PDB file of all heavy atoms in Angstrom:
ATOM      1  N   MET P  18       2.594 -72.367 -20.840  1.00  0.00           N
ATOM      2  CA  MET P  18       1.475 -72.835 -21.607  1.00  0.00           C
ATOM      3  C   MET P  18       0.167 -72.601 -20.926  1.00  0.00           C
ATOM      4  O   MET P  18      -0.885 -72.316 -21.570  1.00  0.00           O
ATOM      5  CB  MET P  18       1.703 -74.359 -21.804  1.00  0.00           C
ATOM      6  CG  MET P  18       0.711 -74.941 -22.747  1.00  0.00           C
ATOM      7  SD  MET P  18       0.588 -74.187 -24.334  1.00  0.00           S
ATOM      8  CE  MET P  18       2.188 -74.485 -24.968  1.00  0.00           C
ATOM      9  N   ARG P  19       0.141 -72.542 -19.584  1.00  0.00           N
ATOM     10  CA  ARG P  19      -1.047 -72.302 -18.876  1.00  0.00           C
ATOM     11  C   ARG P  19      -1.556 -70.833 -19.197  1.00  0.00           C
ATOM     12  O   ARG P  19      -2.762 -70.583 -19.462  1.00  0.00           O
ATOM     13  CB  ARG P  19      -0.812 -72.442 -17.378  1.00  0.00           C
ATOM     14  CG  ARG P  19      -2.048 -72.065 -16.543  1.00  0.00           C
ATOM     15  CD  ARG P  19      -1.760 -72.273 -15.052  1.00  0.00           C
ATOM     16  NE  ARG P  19      -1.482 -73.598 -14.745  1.00  0.00           N
ATOM     17  CZ  ARG P  19      -1.163 -74.090 -13.559  1.00  0.00           C
ATOM     18  NH1 ARG P  19      -1.174 -73.194 -12.523  1.00  0.00           N
ATOM     19  NH2 ARG P  19      -0.931 -75.378 -13.378  1.00  0.00           N
ATOM     20  N   THR P  20      -0.613 -69.852 -19.283  1.00  0.00           N
ATOM     21  CA  THR P  20      -0.977 -68.525 -19.597  1.00  0.00           C
ATOM     22  C   THR P  20      -1.523 -68.397 -21.070  1.00  0.00           C
ATOM     23  O   THR P  20      -2.463 -67.728 -21.281  1.00  0.00           O
ATOM     24  CB  THR P  20       0.249 -67.520 -19.452  1.00  0.00           C
ATOM     25  OG1 THR P  20       0.725 -67.622 -18.090  1.00  0.00           O
ATOM     26  CG2 THR P  20      -0.130 -66.094 -19.718  1.00  0.00           C
ATOM     27  N   ALA P  21      -0.858 -69.150 -21.953  1.00  0.00           N
ATOM     28  CA  ALA P  21      -1.363 -69.112 -23.306  1.00  0.00           C
ATOM     29  C   ALA P  21      -2.775 -69.599 -23.499  1.00  0.00           C
ATOM     30  O   ALA P  21      -3.592 -69.121 -24.218  1.00  0.00           O
ATOM     31  CB  ALA P  21      -0.403 -69.926 -24.194  1.00  0.00           C
ATOM     32  N   LEU P  22      -3.062 -70.722 -22.708  1.00  0.00           N
ATOM     33  CA  LEU P  22      -4.463 -71.257 -22.707  1.00  0.00           C
ATOM     34  C   LEU P  22      -5.387 -70.288 -22.169  1.00  0.00           C
ATOM     35  O   LEU P  22      -6.539 -70.058 -22.657  1.00  0.00           O
ATOM     36  CB  LEU P  22      -4.426 -72.599 -22.003  1.00  0.00           C
ATOM     37  CG  LEU P  22      -3.733 -73.757 -22.645  1.00  0.00           C
ATOM     38  CD1 LEU P  22      -3.708 -75.012 -21.707  1.00  0.00           C
ATOM     39  CD2 LEU P  22      -4.286 -74.109 -23.965  1.00  0.00           C
ATOM     40  N   VAL P  23      -5.047 -69.597 -20.999  1.00  0.00           N
ATOM     41  CA  VAL P  23      -5.927 -68.594 -20.476  1.00  0.00           C
ATOM     42  C   VAL P  23      -6.174 -67.421 -21.436  1.00  0.00           C
ATOM     43  O   VAL P  23      -7.279 -66.962 -21.526  1.00  0.00           O
ATOM     44  CB  VAL P  23      -5.370 -68.092 -19.128  1.00  0.00           C
ATOM     45  CG1 VAL P  23      -6.103 -66.870 -18.610  1.00  0.00           C
ATOM     46  CG2 VAL P  23      -5.325 -69.166 -18.078  1.00  0.00           C
ATOM     47  N   LEU P  24      -5.112 -66.960 -22.077  1.00  0.00           N
ATOM     48  CA  LEU P  24      -5.289 -65.900 -23.082  1.00  0.00           C
ATOM     49  C   LEU P  24      -6.090 -66.227 -24.235  1.00  0.00           C
ATOM     50  O   LEU P  24      -6.879 -65.437 -24.710  1.00  0.00           O
ATOM     51  CB  LEU P  24      -3.881 -65.446 -23.544  1.00  0.00           C
ATOM     52  CG  LEU P  24      -3.051 -64.642 -22.594  1.00  0.00           C
ATOM     53  CD1 LEU P  24      -1.621 -64.415 -23.037  1.00  0.00           C
ATOM     54  CD2 LEU P  24      -3.754 -63.333 -22.208  1.00  0.00           C
ATOM     55  N   LEU P  25      -5.996 -67.558 -24.671  1.00  0.00           N
ATOM     56  CA  LEU P  25      -6.833 -68.002 -25.713  1.00  0.00           C
ATOM     57  C   LEU P  25      -8.285 -67.995 -25.372  1.00  0.00           C
ATOM     58  O   LEU P  25      -9.155 -67.607 -26.142  1.00  0.00           O
ATOM     59  CB  LEU P  25      -6.381 -69.441 -26.104  1.00  0.00           C
ATOM     60  CG  LEU P  25      -6.998 -70.022 -27.437  1.00  0.00           C
ATOM     61  CD1 LEU P  25      -6.700 -69.117 -28.640  1.00  0.00           C
ATOM     62  CD2 LEU P  25      -6.521 -71.421 -27.625  1.00  0.00           C
ATOM     63  N   ALA P  26      -8.593 -68.459 -24.121  1.00  0.00           N
ATOM     64  CA  ALA P  26     -10.015 -68.423 -23.593  1.00  0.00           C
ATOM     65  C   ALA P  26     -10.495 -66.985 -23.458  1.00  0.00           C
ATOM     66  O   ALA P  26     -11.581 -66.648 -23.845  1.00  0.00           O
ATOM     67  CB  ALA P  26     -10.095 -69.071 -22.342  1.00  0.00           C
ATOM     68  N   VAL P  27      -9.648 -66.076 -23.011  1.00  0.00           N
ATOM     69  CA  VAL P  27     -10.000 -64.659 -22.870  1.00  0.00           C
ATOM     70  C   VAL P  27     -10.249 -64.069 -24.256  1.00  0.00           C
ATOM     71  O   VAL P  27     -11.200 -63.265 -24.397  1.00  0.00           O
ATOM     72  CB  VAL P  27      -8.915 -63.863 -22.113  1.00  0.00           C
ATOM     73  CG1 VAL P  27      -9.195 -62.375 -22.164  1.00  0.00           C
ATOM     74  CG2 VAL P  27      -8.775 -64.338 -20.659  1.00  0.00           C
ATOM     75  N   LEU P  28      -9.462 -64.447 -25.284  1.00  0.00           N
ATOM     76  CA  LEU P  28      -9.623 -63.879 -26.589  1.00  0.00           C
ATOM     77  C   LEU P  28     -11.054 -64.276 -27.139  1.00  0.00           C
ATOM     78  O   LEU P  28     -11.748 -63.566 -27.797  1.00  0.00           O
ATOM     79  CB  LEU P  28      -8.555 -64.407 -27.492  1.00  0.00           C
ATOM     80  CG  LEU P  28      -8.554 -63.783 -28.887  1.00  0.00           C
ATOM     81  CD1 LEU P  28      -8.162 -62.255 -28.846  1.00  0.00           C
ATOM     82  CD2 LEU P  28      -7.542 -64.455 -29.832  1.00  0.00           C
ATOM     83  N   GLY P  29     -11.412 -65.545 -26.880  1.00  0.00           N
ATOM     84  CA  GLY P  29     -12.714 -66.072 -27.353  1.00  0.00           C
ATOM     85  C   GLY P  29     -13.821 -65.302 -26.644  1.00  0.00           C
ATOM     86  O   GLY P  29     -14.841 -64.965 -27.275  1.00  0.00           O
ATOM     87  N   ILE P  30     -13.686 -65.062 -25.346  1.00  0.00           N
ATOM     88  CA  ILE P  30     -14.811 -64.338 -24.597  1.00  0.00           C
ATOM     89  C   ILE P  30     -14.790 -62.872 -25.074  1.00  0.00           C
ATOM     90  O   ILE P  30     -15.854 -62.291 -25.240  1.00  0.00           O
ATOM     91  CB  ILE P  30     -14.401 -64.384 -23.123  1.00  0.00           C
ATOM     92  CG1 ILE P  30     -14.540 -65.827 -22.606  1.00  0.00           C
ATOM     93  CG2 ILE P  30     -15.397 -63.448 -22.345  1.00  0.00           C
ATOM     94  CD1 ILE P  30     -14.116 -66.009 -21.190  1.00  0.00           C
ATOM     95  N   ALA P  31     -13.633 -62.246 -25.313  1.00  0.00           N
ATOM     96  CA  ALA P  31     -13.616 -60.923 -25.767  1.00  0.00           C
ATOM     97  C   ALA P  31     -14.276 -60.751 -27.195  1.00  0.00           C
ATOM     98  O   ALA P  31     -14.758 -59.624 -27.504  1.00  0.00           O
ATOM     99  CB  ALA P  31     -12.171 -60.356 -25.835  1.00  0.00           C
TER     100      ALA P  31
END
Side-chain angles (χ1 to χ4, degrees):
M18 187 55 64
R19 178 178 298 179
T20 302
L22 293 174
V23 170
L24 287 172
L25 188 61
V27 171
L28 187 70
I30 296 172

